Amino acid sequence: MKAWKFLLLLGSLCLFMPAVLAQTIKLEVVNGSGKGNFTPGTITDILANSEPPGQIFAGWTGDTTLVANPRERRTTLTIPTNAPNPMTVEATYRPFTPWQPTYELLGPTGETPVGYYFPPTGHRGVLMVFHGAGGGVTTALEAVENRLFMNDAIAAGFAIVASAGAFGDEKWDSTTPPATNKDYLAVQSVLRTLIFRGYMTAADPLYGMGISNGGAFTSYISYLNNYRAAALYISAGRNQVLESSTIPTVWMLARNDDVVGPEGNNQARNNYENLVRRGVPAALFSRPEQVVFPLRFARVPGLQPGDSFQIHQSLVTNEWIDADGFYIQPPGSPSWQFSIPGRFAADLTPIGDQLRVCYASHQFYSEGSSFVLDFFARFP
């Protein structure tokens, strides 16, 4: 090649390459967080705004070809190489009737706390909810992330029954044989009462959902009572039961779980693989870290968008959230609480819950609700 042609070609490439390297796509997020300018191939978080009163999240619309799950409030989006510029996604909502559970003491001795809700229009099945150690039926139904999941379950046609064990909010017994297992007998008594009252029938499909220690009990009782399917949150389940169980099971793990730990997450994967090898339907999801958007805390009842921005800014200023928007230290340390303005002192628990969700530590999370409910729907 002649020298002048080579120099001309080299000059053209030098002029052209910066334009290619600098190419960005503008992402607009309507009714949500995550907008910005991104290079094609970037995977970024998007988060729907909290639902307006009387509505529930319906899904993402717009340029959703590479949205990981358009039915989740928080999900990821991969910027396509051929994306329109700008590209737009929009969080949409649909009507939803507010609901309130009934709380009372049932069980063989009237000492078992129970919370339940049966949709007036009927139900496709009964979701049995078992709280974690140190939790309770109120937390299982009313904590922010739990409530979002329960809303989705009710919108999908499920009735909800959250039961504690025999004597309240203690750890579940998933080892004693059923004939003498007081927790198992308490739950059976609760169901008999609800059947007697006409809320449900003995033929209703039962689905189990257990959180942490309640996950081990869920694998135990779903096996004994032949539930249609089970979901184990931040729990490996009861290993000895899962070795022979034929109950379809989905595991919902957290990548940085500081209670179950890497060993527990590995055991959950082993239990999952065991079911798959035996031909039992199974699924597994491991929640990754999430961006803490400025509006993240607006899903906490009583906190307005401006409150959420102030809380977020306080965490950024005190270096609890990094430049990419991620919470950077294990939430087990209470030090972050000193960063929060004093007027939010009553909200520290739900704020901490949101940080634990975003850090992917040991905390129930509503992300993946459609994944779990779709899994349940496979087994009517």
Side-chain angles (χ1 to χ4, degrees):
M1 180 182 292
K2 293 184 178 180
W4 67 270
K5 289 184 177 179
F6 175 77
L7 292 173
L8 179 61
L9 176 61
L10 183 62
S12 299
L13 288 173
C14 290
L15 290 172
F16 177 70
M17 286 179 65
V20 173
L21 294 174
Q23 180 187 7
T24 60
I25 303 296
K26 182 179 182 181
L27 172 64
E28 297 285 359
V29 182
V30 180
N31 297 330
S33 301
K35 69 178 182 179
N37 297 304
F38 303 95
T39 56
T42 300
I43 300 175
T44 187
D45 282 23
I46 54 176
L47 176 72
N49 289 346
S50 299
E51 288 98 335
Q55 297 188 55
I56 192 171
F57 178 72
W60 293 96
T61 61
D63 302 313
T64 59
T65 304
L66 294 181
V67 171
N69 190 335
R71 294 169 55 206
E72 293 292 342
R73 296 171 181 84
R74 178 270 168 193
T75 186
T76 59
L77 182 155
T78 303
I79 306 298
T81 54
N82 59 344
N85 199 358
M87 65 178 294
T88 302
V89 293
E90 179 178 357
T92 62
Y93 307 87
R94 60 187 176 89
F96 178 70
T97 302
W99 62 282
Q100 288 298 327
T102 298
Y103 293 105
E104 60 179 309
L105 295 174
L106 299 175
T109 60
E111 298 180 13
T112 302
V114 180
Y116 57 89
Y117 176 78
F118 288 83
T121 55
H123 52 271
R124 64 191 296 177
V126 178
L127 178 60
M128 302 295 299
V129 182
F130 304 106
H131 62 77
V137 297
T138 303
T139 300
L141 298 181
E142 305 283 3
V144 175
E145 295 295 307
N146 303 61
R147 187 71 172 196
L148 290 173
F149 180 95
M150 299 307 156
N151 288 348
D152 291 338
I154 289 170
F158 288 91
I160 308 291
V161 177
S163 177
F167 302 111
D169 305 334
E170 300 177 352
K171 291 186 67 174
W172 293 94
D173 179 2
S174 57
T175 59
T176 303
T180 55
N181 187 313
K182 293 181 179 179
D183 290 340
Y184 174 82
L185 295 174
V187 173
Q188 294 303 97
S189 175
V190 167
L191 287 177
R192 285 194 298 271
T193 298
L194 295 175
I195 292 170
F196 177 78
R197 293 179 180 179
Y199 289 114
M200 58 183 291
T201 72
D204 283 353
L206 299 179
Y207 302 83
M209 188 183 88
I211 304 165
S212 191
N213 172 251
F217 185 75
T218 297
S219 58
Y220 169 89
I221 195 170
S222 63
Y223 171 69
L224 290 173
N225 287 5
N226 198 31
Y227 284 14
R228 299 300 174 88
L232 312 183
Y233 275 82
I234 48 178
S235 171
R238 181 66 179 161
N239 301 335
Q240 292 85 341
V241 170
L242 291 164
E243 289 174 357
S244 56
S245 176
T246 57
I247 303 301
T249 302
V250 54
W251 279 264
M252 303 295 286
L253 308 179
R255 181 176 295 173
N256 298 323
D257 196 314
D258 52 336
V259 174
V260 170
E263 181 179 353
N265 279 345
N266 288 335
Q267 184 60 59
R269 291 184 177 90
N270 290 339
N271 290 339
Y272 157 74
E273 292 169 359
N274 174 43
L275 262 63
V276 171
R277 280 194 301 270
R278 294 190 289 109
V280 180
L284 184 145
F285 173 79
S286 181
R287 183 181 85 247
E289 301 88 341
Q290 304 175 8
V291 170
V292 185
F293 287 112
L295 282 174
R296 178 78 199 197
F297 307 104
R299 61 175 56 186
V300 176
L303 294 183
Q304 301 303 312
D307 299 328
S308 186
F309 273 100
Q310 186 178 358
I311 293 166
H312 183 271
Q313 186 56 51
S314 297
L315 290 165
V316 171
T317 300
N318 289 277
E319 300 181 345
W320 290 98
I321 296 176
D322 67 17
D324 295 319
F326 290 95
Y327 187 80
I328 57 177
Q329 296 193 36
S333 166
S335 301
W336 64 267
Q337 299 180 7
F338 300 109
S339 304
I340 307 300
R343 71 188 188 92
F344 301 116
D347 302 301
L348 289 177
T349 294
I351 290 170
D353 290 348
Q354 292 303 308
L355 292 175
R356 280 186 285 275
V357 169
C358 291
Y359 191 76
S361 58
H362 193 77
Q363 181 69 39
F364 180 84
Y365 53 96
S366 61
E367 179 191 356
S369 62
S370 67
F371 181 68
V372 171
L373 295 171
D374 285 349
F375 184 83
F376 285 172
R378 292 167 52 190
F379 311 101

